[in-house]
C-alpha cells in the first residue's frame, strides 16, 4: 500500500483518487480552495442555482466505467442522467435557425435540409462520416492510452480523410477545420456550425487541425447529457465515492513544492511549511515547471499548451417560467466571424464586440425557487485574463436576446463570472480553459504525458494528457491510476 499525495481536487484528480483507493492505496487530497470539483462549481442565490463550469456532459460512459469499478452503486444510482433533445438549437447570422436532434444522424440530416436547403444535411453527414474515421484512428492514443513515447507521429499525421478540392488548377486537401468548412460544407451556416465546436474550447478554427471534426462527431455519436440538479451533482457524487473509499481530504491546504529524495518524489510541502511525506505525488498539469518542482520529462516531450482563451459566464435569474419545449442549449452565432476570431486570436486580443454565445436553459425545477422563475446561463469565449467592461457583458445579453426575445425585461438580477474567477478556482493562469487533445497540427493540441521526469511524480487533469473536458478528465484519472498501479508498462483499458 503506497501513500499517495494528490494535489488539487479537480475532476481528474478525484477520478484518480477513487481508483487508487480501490486498488488499496492510501490517498490524501490537498486542495487549496475550500471545496472540490475544480471548474465544476455551483452558484446559488435567492433560491436559484447555476452551473458555473460545464453545463452538459459528453461521453457519460467514461464516468459510468469509473463508478462501476470503484463501488457497488453505478453512476445512475448516484445521479440522474437526462439525454438532452434537441442536442442544440443554432441561430445563425442571417436569422435562419435549426434544432438538431440528439444522437440521430437521419434526424440531423432531415433538420438541416429543411432549415438550410436540400443537400445541406448530406454534406454535414458526409463530414461526420469522415470525422468518424478520424475518431476511430485516434480514440485510443488520444483518450484511452498514456501518451506515446513517439508522440510526434500523432503530431504529424492528419487522421481526417479530407476530400480533394480543386482550386486554381491545383488539387488540395483541407488541413484545418476552417478549410473543411469552406471546401467540404460550402455553406457559411454549416461552416459556423462546425467551427462553433472548436470555438467552444477556445480553439481558432483557422489553425485547428482538420481532426477537430471529432468534436462535433462526439456530440453526434454519443449524445449530449444533463445531470439533474446541475453538473455539480456529478462532482458531488464523485466526492462522496472518494469518501466511501476512505480518501482523505484536506481543504484550504495549498501545496507550494513537491519534495524530492534520492531522485524520486517524496511528498509535498504546504504553504504553512508543513511537510507531508508520500511515496507517490499526483499534481495538476498547471504545476509543471521548475519553480513548482514539477519538471518536464526532458526527452523531447510535447510542451504544455500556452495562451488558450478563457470564458465569461453571465448567470441570469429571470421572472417568468421556462416555456414548454424550449431548447436546453441554443448557440447564437456571430454576424462578424472574422472580427470575432481576430479579437480572440489576433496580435492584440480583446473581447469580441459581437460574440458567439451559448445559452443554457435547463428544464430542472431544482434550479429555481418556483415554477414562475427561470435560471439561464449565457457564456462566451474571451481572451485569458480579460478585464470585462459593462459593454462586453451587455454584448453577451444582446446576443442572447436573439435566442430569448424579451430577455432584458425578464431579468431579476445577474451575476458575472470572469476569467479571474476561473483562475481562482482552477489555478490556470488567466483563467485559461484547456482543450481536448487532438492529433496533427504539429502537436499544438497535444498535452504533456501523465508521467514526468521525476520518478513517482505524475500529472492529471485538463493540462495533462488527454486534455480538457469532462470525459478527458475522467480518462486522465484512469490513466494516472493505471500507471501507478501497473507501472510504466500500462497501456490503457482494453
Amino acid at each position: 500500500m503506497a501513500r499517495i499525495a494528490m494535489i488539487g481536487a479537480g475532476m481528474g484528480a478525484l477520478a484518480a483518487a477513487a481508483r487508487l483507493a480501490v486498488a488499496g492505496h492510501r490517498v490524501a487530497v490537498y486542495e487549496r480552495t475550500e471545496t472540490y470539483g475544480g471548474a465544476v462549481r455551483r452558484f446559488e442565490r435567492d433560491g436559484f442555482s447555476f452551473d458555473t463550469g460545464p453545463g452538459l456532459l459528453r461521453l457519460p460512459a467514461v464516468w459510468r466505467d469509473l463508478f462501476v469499478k470503484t463501488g457497488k452503486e453505478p453512476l445512475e444510482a448516484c445521479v440522474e442522467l437526462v439525454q438532452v433533445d434537441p442536442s442544440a438549437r443554432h441561430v445563425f447570422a442571417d436569422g435562419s435557425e435549426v434544432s438538431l436532434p440528439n444522437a440521430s444522424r437521419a434526424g440531423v440530416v432531415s433538420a438541416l435540409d429543411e432549415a438550410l436547403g436540400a443537400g445541406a444535411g448530406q454534406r454535414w453527414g458526409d463530414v461526420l462520416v469522415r470525422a468518424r474515421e478520424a475518431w476511430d484512428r485516434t480514440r485510443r492514443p488520444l483518450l484511452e492510452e498514456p501518451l506515446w513515447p513517439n508522440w510526434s507521429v500523432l503530431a504529424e499525421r492528419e487522421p481526417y480523410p479530407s476530400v480533394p478540392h480543386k482550386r486554381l488548377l491545383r488539387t488540395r486537401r483541407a488541413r484545418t477545420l476552417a478549410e473543411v468548412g469552406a471546401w467540404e460544407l460550402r455553406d457559411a451556416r454549416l461552416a459556423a456550425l462546425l467551427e462553433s465546436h472548436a470555438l467552444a474550447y477556445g480553439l481558432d478554427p483557422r489553425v485547428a487541425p482538420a481532426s477537430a471534426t471529432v468534436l462535433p462527431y462526439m456530440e453526434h455519436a454519443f449524445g449530449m447529457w444533463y445531470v439533474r440538479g446541475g453538473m455539480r451533482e456529478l462532482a458531488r457524487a464523485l466526492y462522496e465515492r472518494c469518501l466511501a473509499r476512505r480518501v482523505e481530504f484536506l481543504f484550504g491546504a495549498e501545496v507550494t513544492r513537491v519534495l524530492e529524495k534520492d531522485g524520486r518524489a517524496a511528498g509535498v510541502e504546504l504553504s504553512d511549511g508543513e511537510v507531508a511525506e508520500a511515496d507517490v505525488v499526483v499534481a495538476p498539469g498547471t504545476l509543471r515547471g521548475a519553480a513548482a518542482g514539477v519538471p518536464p520529462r526532458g526527452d523531447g516531450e510535447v510542451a504544455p499548451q500556452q495562451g488558450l482563451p478563457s470564458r465569461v459566464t453571465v448567470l441570469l435569474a429571470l421572472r417568468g417560467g421556462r416555456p414548454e419545449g424550449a431548447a436546453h442549449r441554443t448557440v447564437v452565432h456571430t454576424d462578424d466571424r472574422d472580427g470575432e476570431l481576430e479579437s480572440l486570436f489576433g496580435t492584440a486580443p480583446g473581447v469580441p464586440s459581437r460574440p458567439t454565445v451559448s445559452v443554457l436553459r435547463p428544464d430542472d425545477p431544482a434550479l429555481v425557487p418556483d415554477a414562475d422563475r427561470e435560471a439561464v446561463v449565457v457564456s462566451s469565449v474571451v481572451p485569458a485574463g480579460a478585464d470585462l467592461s459593462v459593454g462586453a457583458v451587455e454584448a453577451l445579453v444582446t446576443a442572447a436576446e436573439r435566442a430569448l426575445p424579451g430577455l432584458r425585461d425578464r431579468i431579476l438580477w445577474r451575476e458575472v463570472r470572469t476569467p479571474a474567477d476561473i483562475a481562482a478556482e482552477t489555478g490556470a493562469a488567466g483563467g485559461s480553459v484547456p482543450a481536448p487533445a487532438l492529433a496533427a497540427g504539429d502537436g499544438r493540441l497535444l498535452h504533456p504525458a501523465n508521467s514526468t521526469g521525476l520518478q513517482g511524480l505524475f500529472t492529471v487533469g485538463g493540462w495533462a494528457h488527454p486534455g480538457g473536458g469532462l470525459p478527458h478528465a475522467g480518462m486522465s484519472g484512469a490513466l494516472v491510476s493505471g500507471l501507478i498501479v501497473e507501472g510504466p508498462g500500462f497501456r490503457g483499458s482494453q
Side-chain angles (χ1 to χ4, degrees), residues 226-241:
Y226 173 68
V227 178
R228 187 72 68 187
M231 295 302 299
R232 178 67 175 177
E233 287 298 292
L234 178 62
R236 174 200 55 77
L238 182 53
Y239 172 66
E240 291 180 354
R241 178 56 53 90

mmCIF file with all atom_site columns, all heavy atoms in Angstrom, residues 226-241:
data_model
loop_
_atom_site.group_PDB
_atom_site.id
_atom_site.type_symbol
_atom_site.label_atom_id
_atom_site.label_alt_id
_atom_site.label_comp_id
_atom_site.label_asym_id
_atom_site.label_entity_id
_atom_site.label_seq_id
_atom_site.pdbx_PDB_ins_code
_atom_site.Cartn_x
_atom_site.Cartn_y
_atom_site.Cartn_z
_atom_site.occupancy
_atom_site.B_iso_or_equiv
_atom_site.pdbx_formal_charge
_atom_site.auth_seq_id
_atom_site.auth_comp_id
_atom_site.auth_asym_id
_atom_site.auth_atom_id
_atom_site.pdbx_PDB_model_num
ATOM 1   N N   . TYR A 1 226 ? -27.455 15.768 -19.563 1.00 0.00 ? 226 TYR A N   1
ATOM 2   C CA  . TYR A 1 226 ? -27.539 16.712 -18.447 1.00 0.00 ? 226 TYR A CA  1
ATOM 3   C C   . TYR A 1 226 ? -27.693 15.916 -17.162 1.00 0.00 ? 226 TYR A C   1
ATOM 4   O O   . TYR A 1 226 ? -28.336 14.853 -17.144 1.00 0.00 ? 226 TYR A O   1
ATOM 5   C CB  . TYR A 1 226 ? -28.738 17.643 -18.647 1.00 0.00 ? 226 TYR A CB  1
ATOM 6   C CG  . TYR A 1 226 ? -29.030 18.555 -17.476 1.00 0.00 ? 226 TYR A CG  1
ATOM 7   C CD1 . TYR A 1 226 ? -28.160 19.583 -17.138 1.00 0.00 ? 226 TYR A CD1 1
ATOM 8   C CD2 . TYR A 1 226 ? -30.182 18.380 -16.714 1.00 0.00 ? 226 TYR A CD2 1
ATOM 9   C CE1 . TYR A 1 226 ? -28.429 20.420 -16.064 1.00 0.00 ? 226 TYR A CE1 1
ATOM 10  C CE2 . TYR A 1 226 ? -30.462 19.216 -15.648 1.00 0.00 ? 226 TYR A CE2 1
ATOM 11  C CZ  . TYR A 1 226 ? -29.574 20.227 -15.321 1.00 0.00 ? 226 TYR A CZ  1
ATOM 12  O OH  . TYR A 1 226 ? -29.839 21.046 -14.256 1.00 0.00 ? 226 TYR A OH  1
ATOM 13  N N   . VAL A 1 227 ? -27.096 16.403 -16.105 1.00 0.00 ? 227 VAL A N   1
ATOM 14  C CA  . VAL A 1 227 ? -27.239 15.779 -14.793 1.00 0.00 ? 227 VAL A CA  1
ATOM 15  C C   . VAL A 1 227 ? -28.282 16.563 -14.013 1.00 0.00 ? 227 VAL A C   1
ATOM 16  O O   . VAL A 1 227 ? -28.117 17.767 -13.774 1.00 0.00 ? 227 VAL A O   1
ATOM 17  C CB  . VAL A 1 227 ? -25.901 15.757 -14.034 1.00 0.00 ? 227 VAL A CB  1
ATOM 18  C CG1 . VAL A 1 227 ? -26.088 15.147 -12.650 1.00 0.00 ? 227 VAL A CG1 1
ATOM 19  C CG2 . VAL A 1 227 ? -24.859 14.971 -14.819 1.00 0.00 ? 227 VAL A CG2 1
ATOM 20  N N   . ARG A 1 228 ? -29.370 15.900 -13.645 1.00 0.00 ? 228 ARG A N   1
ATOM 21  C CA  . ARG A 1 228 ? -30.452 16.561 -12.928 1.00 0.00 ? 228 ARG A CA  1
ATOM 22  C C   . ARG A 1 228 ? -29.928 17.199 -11.642 1.00 0.00 ? 228 ARG A C   1
ATOM 23  O O   . ARG A 1 228 ? -29.206 16.582 -10.876 1.00 0.00 ? 228 ARG A O   1
ATOM 24  C CB  . ARG A 1 228 ? -31.547 15.561 -12.585 1.00 0.00 ? 228 ARG A CB  1
ATOM 25  C CG  . ARG A 1 228 ? -32.788 16.166 -11.985 1.00 0.00 ? 228 ARG A CG  1
ATOM 26  C CD  . ARG A 1 228 ? -33.589 16.947 -13.017 1.00 0.00 ? 228 ARG A CD  1
ATOM 27  N NE  . ARG A 1 228 ? -34.166 16.064 -14.034 1.00 0.00 ? 228 ARG A NE  1
ATOM 28  C CZ  . ARG A 1 228 ? -34.792 16.504 -15.115 1.00 0.00 ? 228 ARG A CZ  1
ATOM 29  N NH1 . ARG A 1 228 ? -34.909 17.822 -15.334 1.00 0.00 ? 228 ARG A NH1 1
ATOM 30  N NH2 . ARG A 1 228 ? -35.304 15.661 -15.991 1.00 0.00 ? 228 ARG A NH2 1
ATOM 31  N N   . GLY A 1 229 ? -30.283 18.475 -11.434 1.00 0.00 ? 229 GLY A N   1
ATOM 32  C CA  . GLY A 1 229 ? -29.755 19.222 -10.308 1.00 0.00 ? 229 GLY A CA  1
ATOM 33  C C   . GLY A 1 229 ? -28.527 20.033 -10.658 1.00 0.00 ? 229 GLY A C   1
ATOM 34  O O   . GLY A 1 229 ? -28.037 20.810 -9.843  1.00 0.00 ? 229 GLY A O   1
ATOM 35  N N   . GLY A 1 230 ? -28.022 19.847 -11.889 1.00 0.00 ? 230 GLY A N   1
ATOM 36  C CA  . GLY A 1 230 ? -26.828 20.573 -12.332 1.00 0.00 ? 230 GLY A CA  1
ATOM 37  C C   . GLY A 1 230 ? -25.607 19.682 -12.336 1.00 0.00 ? 230 GLY A C   1
ATOM 38  O O   . GLY A 1 230 ? -25.528 18.669 -11.636 1.00 0.00 ? 230 GLY A O   1
ATOM 39  N N   . MET A 1 231 ? -24.612 20.068 -13.127 1.00 0.00 ? 231 MET A N   1
ATOM 40  C CA  . MET A 1 231 ? -23.402 19.259 -13.267 1.00 0.00 ? 231 MET A CA  1
ATOM 41  C C   . MET A 1 231 ? -22.620 19.135 -11.965 1.00 0.00 ? 231 MET A C   1
ATOM 42  O O   . MET A 1 231 ? -21.833 18.216 -11.782 1.00 0.00 ? 231 MET A O   1
ATOM 43  C CB  . MET A 1 231 ? -22.511 19.849 -14.359 1.00 0.00 ? 231 MET A CB  1
ATOM 44  C CG  . MET A 1 231 ? -23.120 19.797 -15.746 1.00 0.00 ? 231 MET A CG  1
ATOM 45  S SD  . MET A 1 231 ? -23.531 18.121 -16.274 1.00 0.00 ? 231 MET A SD  1
ATOM 46  C CE  . MET A 1 231 ? -21.924 17.383 -16.237 1.00 0.00 ? 231 MET A CE  1
ATOM 47  N N   . ARG A 1 232 ? -22.846 20.064 -11.053 1.00 0.00 ? 232 ARG A N   1
ATOM 48  C CA  . ARG A 1 232 ? -22.194 19.971 -9.750  1.00 0.00 ? 232 ARG A CA  1
ATOM 49  C C   . ARG A 1 232 ? -22.568 18.670 -9.050  1.00 0.00 ? 232 ARG A C   1
ATOM 50  O O   . ARG A 1 232 ? -21.814 18.159 -8.221  1.00 0.00 ? 232 ARG A O   1
ATOM 51  C CB  . ARG A 1 232 ? -22.589 21.177 -8.898  1.00 0.00 ? 232 ARG A CB  1
ATOM 52  C CG  . ARG A 1 232 ? -22.033 21.193 -7.486  1.00 0.00 ? 232 ARG A CG  1
ATOM 53  C CD  . ARG A 1 232 ? -20.530 21.357 -7.450  1.00 0.00 ? 232 ARG A CD  1
ATOM 54  N NE  . ARG A 1 232 ? -20.041 21.477 -6.081  1.00 0.00 ? 232 ARG A NE  1
ATOM 55  C CZ  . ARG A 1 232 ? -18.763 21.575 -5.742  1.00 0.00 ? 232 ARG A CZ  1
ATOM 56  N NH1 . ARG A 1 232 ? -17.832 21.581 -6.689  1.00 0.00 ? 232 ARG A NH1 1
ATOM 57  N NH2 . ARG A 1 232 ? -18.404 21.689 -4.493  1.00 0.00 ? 232 ARG A NH2 1
ATOM 58  N N   . GLU A 1 233 ? -23.727 18.103 -9.389  1.00 0.00 ? 233 GLU A N   1
ATOM 59  C CA  . GLU A 1 233 ? -24.141 16.836 -8.790  1.00 0.00 ? 233 GLU A CA  1
ATOM 60  C C   . GLU A 1 233 ? -23.194 15.708 -9.166  1.00 0.00 ? 233 GLU A C   1
ATOM 61  O O   . GLU A 1 233 ? -22.993 14.773 -8.388  1.00 0.00 ? 233 GLU A O   1
ATOM 62  C CB  . GLU A 1 233 ? -25.569 16.503 -9.199  1.00 0.00 ? 233 GLU A CB  1
ATOM 63  C CG  . GLU A 1 233 ? -26.620 17.378 -8.518  1.00 0.00 ? 233 GLU A CG  1
ATOM 64  C CD  . GLU A 1 233 ? -26.580 17.198 -7.011  1.00 0.00 ? 233 GLU A CD  1
ATOM 65  O OE1 . GLU A 1 233 ? -26.933 16.105 -6.529  1.00 0.00 ? 233 GLU A OE1 1
ATOM 66  O OE2 . GLU A 1 233 ? -26.183 18.152 -6.305  1.00 0.00 ? 233 GLU A OE2 1
ATOM 67  N N   . LEU A 1 234 ? -22.620 15.760 -10.354 1.00 0.00 ? 234 LEU A N   1
ATOM 68  C CA  . LEU A 1 234 ? -21.622 14.752 -10.730 1.00 0.00 ? 234 LEU A CA  1
ATOM 69  C C   . LEU A 1 234 ? -20.389 14.870 -9.852  1.00 0.00 ? 234 LEU A C   1
ATOM 70  O O   . LEU A 1 234 ? -19.838 13.859 -9.386  1.00 0.00 ? 234 LEU A O   1
ATOM 71  C CB  . LEU A 1 234 ? -21.249 14.909 -12.205 1.00 0.00 ? 234 LEU A CB  1
ATOM 72  C CG  . LEU A 1 234 ? -20.170 13.953 -12.723 1.00 0.00 ? 234 LEU A CG  1
ATOM 73  C CD1 . LEU A 1 234 ? -20.633 12.496 -12.619 1.00 0.00 ? 234 LEU A CD1 1
ATOM 74  C CD2 . LEU A 1 234 ? -19.803 14.299 -14.177 1.00 0.00 ? 234 LEU A CD2 1
ATOM 75  N N   . ALA A 1 235 ? -19.938 16.112 -9.616  1.00 0.00 ? 235 ALA A N   1
ATOM 76  C CA  . ALA A 1 235 ? -18.791 16.315 -8.730  1.00 0.00 ? 235 ALA A CA  1
ATOM 77  C C   . ALA A 1 235 ? -19.098 15.837 -7.310  1.00 0.00 ? 235 ALA A C   1
ATOM 78  O O   . ALA A 1 235 ? -18.256 15.222 -6.651  1.00 0.00 ? 235 ALA A O   1
ATOM 79  C CB  . ALA A 1 235 ? -18.393 17.787 -8.725  1.00 0.00 ? 235 ALA A CB  1
ATOM 80  N N   . ARG A 1 236 ? -20.322 16.128 -6.849  1.00 0.00 ? 236 ARG A N   1
ATOM 81  C CA  . ARG A 1 236 ? -20.703 15.675 -5.501  1.00 0.00 ? 236 ARG A CA  1
ATOM 82  C C   . ARG A 1 236 ? -20.677 14.155 -5.398  1.00 0.00 ? 236 ARG A C   1
ATOM 83  O O   . ARG A 1 236 ? -20.145 13.584 -4.438  1.00 0.00 ? 236 ARG A O   1
ATOM 84  C CB  . ARG A 1 236 ? -22.108 16.177 -5.170  1.00 0.00 ? 236 ARG A CB  1
ATOM 85  C CG  . ARG A 1 236 ? -22.658 15.641 -3.839  1.00 0.00 ? 236 ARG A CG  1
ATOM 86  C CD  . ARG A 1 236 ? -24.175 15.735 -3.764  1.00 0.00 ? 236 ARG A CD  1
ATOM 87  N NE  . ARG A 1 236 ? -24.858 15.096 -4.855  1.00 0.00 ? 236 ARG A NE  1
ATOM 88  C CZ  . ARG A 1 236 ? -25.029 13.782 -4.967  1.00 0.00 ? 236 ARG A CZ  1
ATOM 89  N NH1 . ARG A 1 236 ? -24.546 12.953 -4.047  1.00 0.00 ? 236 ARG A NH1 1
ATOM 90  N NH2 . ARG A 1 236 ? -25.679 13.268 -6.007  1.00 0.00 ? 236 ARG A NH2 1
ATOM 91  N N   . ALA A 1 237 ? -21.243 13.486 -6.414  1.00 0.00 ? 237 ALA A N   1
ATOM 92  C CA  . ALA A 1 237 ? -21.281 12.021 -6.388  1.00 0.00 ? 237 ALA A CA  1
ATOM 93  C C   . ALA A 1 237 ? -19.870 11.441 -6.405  1.00 0.00 ? 237 ALA A C   1
ATOM 94  O O   . ALA A 1 237 ? -19.577 10.452 -5.712  1.00 0.00 ? 237 ALA A O   1
ATOM 95  C CB  . ALA A 1 237 ? -22.082 11.506 -7.581  1.00 0.00 ? 237 ALA A CB  1
ATOM 96  N N   . LEU A 1 238 ? -18.980 12.056 -7.169  1.00 0.00 ? 238 LEU A N   1
ATOM 97  C CA  . LEU A 1 238 ? -17.600 11.576 -7.232  1.00 0.00 ? 238 LEU A CA  1
ATOM 98  C C   . LEU A 1 238 ? -16.880 11.811 -5.908  1.00 0.00 ? 238 LEU A C   1
ATOM 99  O O   . LEU A 1 238 ? -16.131 10.938 -5.425  1.00 0.00 ? 238 LEU A O   1
ATOM 100 C CB  . LEU A 1 238 ? -16.872 12.276 -8.380  1.00 0.00 ? 238 LEU A CB  1
ATOM 101 C CG  . LEU A 1 238 ? -15.435 11.870 -8.647  1.00 0.00 ? 238 LEU A CG  1
ATOM 102 C CD1 . LEU A 1 238 ? -15.295 10.358 -8.807  1.00 0.00 ? 238 LEU A CD1 1
ATOM 103 C CD2 . LEU A 1 238 ? -14.904 12.593 -9.880  1.00 0.00 ? 238 LEU A CD2 1
ATOM 104 N N   . TYR A 1 239 ? -17.101 12.961 -5.309  1.00 0.00 ? 239 TYR A N   1
ATOM 105 C CA  . TYR A 1 239 ? -16.510 13.256 -3.997  1.00 0.00 ? 239 TYR A CA  1
ATOM 106 C C   . TYR A 1 239 ? -16.996 12.253 -2.952  1.00 0.00 ? 239 TYR A C   1
ATOM 107 O O   . TYR A 1 239 ? -16.198 11.716 -2.164  1.00 0.00 ? 239 TYR A O   1
ATOM 108 C CB  . TYR A 1 239 ? -16.884 14.685 -3.600  1.00 0.00 ? 239 TYR A CB  1
ATOM 109 C CG  . TYR A 1 239 ? -16.515 15.080 -2.186  1.00 0.00 ? 239 TYR A CG  1
ATOM 110 C CD1 . TYR A 1 239 ? -15.189 15.173 -1.792  1.00 0.00 ? 239 TYR A CD1 1
ATOM 111 C CD2 . TYR A 1 239 ? -17.509 15.390 -1.255  1.00 0.00 ? 239 TYR A CD2 1
ATOM 112 C CE1 . TYR A 1 239 ? -14.858 15.549 -0.490  1.00 0.00 ? 239 TYR A CE1 1
ATOM 113 C CE2 . TYR A 1 239 ? -17.190 15.768 0.031   1.00 0.00 ? 239 TYR A CE2 1
ATOM 114 C CZ  . TYR A 1 239 ? -15.861 15.844 0.409   1.00 0.00 ? 239 TYR A CZ  1
ATOM 115 O OH  . TYR A 1 239 ? -15.539 16.213 1.691   1.00 0.00 ? 239 TYR A OH  1
ATOM 116 N N   . GLU A 1 240 ? -18.289 11.961 -2.957  1.00 0.00 ? 240 GLU A N   1
ATOM 117 C CA  . GLU A 1 240 ? -18.820 11.010 -1.989  1.00 0.00 ? 240 GLU A CA  1
ATOM 118 C C   . GLU A 1 240 ? -18.293 9.605  -2.242  1.00 0.00 ? 240 GLU A C   1
ATOM 119 O O   . GLU A 1 240 ? -18.076 8.828  -1.295  1.00 0.00 ? 240 GLU A O   1
ATOM 120 C CB  . GLU A 1 240 ? -20.350 11.034 -2.031  1.00 0.00 ? 240 GLU A CB  1
ATOM 121 C CG  . GLU A 1 240 ? -20.931 12.336 -1.488  1.00 0.00 ? 240 GLU A CG  1
ATOM 122 C CD  . GLU A 1 240 ? -22.444 12.388 -1.529  1.00 0.00 ? 240 GLU A CD  1
ATOM 123 O OE1 . GLU A 1 240 ? -23.057 11.440 -2.102  1.00 0.00 ? 240 GLU A OE1 1
ATOM 124 O OE2 . GLU A 1 240 ? -23.015 13.370 -1.008  1.00 0.00 ? 240 GLU A OE2 1
ATOM 125 N N   . ARG A 1 241 ? -18.057 9.252  -3.510  1.00 0.00 ? 241 ARG A N   1
ATOM 126 C CA  . ARG A 1 241 ? -17.458 7.960  -3.809  1.00 0.00 ? 241 ARG A CA  1
ATOM 127 C C   . ARG A 1 241 ? -16.035 7.895  -3.246  1.00 0.00 ? 241 ARG A C   1
ATOM 128 O O   . ARG A 1 241 ? -15.624 6.866  -2.698  1.00 0.00 ? 241 ARG A O   1
ATOM 129 C CB  . ARG A 1 241 ? -17.466 7.706  -5.319  1.00 0.00 ? 241 ARG A CB  1
ATOM 130 C CG  . ARG A 1 241 ? -16.817 6.397  -5.780  1.00 0.00 ? 241 ARG A CG  1
ATOM 131 C CD  . ARG A 1 241 ? -17.409 5.157  -5.138  1.00 0.00 ? 241 ARG A CD  1
ATOM 132 N NE  . ARG A 1 241 ? -18.845 5.064  -5.273  1.00 0.00 ? 241 ARG A NE  1
ATOM 133 C CZ  . ARG A 1 241 ? -19.467 4.462  -6.282  1.00 0.00 ? 241 ARG A CZ  1
ATOM 134 N NH1 . ARG A 1 241 ? -18.758 3.906  -7.257  1.00 0.00 ? 241 ARG A NH1 1
ATOM 135 N NH2 . ARG A 1 241 ? -20.784 4.397  -6.301  1.00 0.00 ? 241 ARG A NH2 1
#
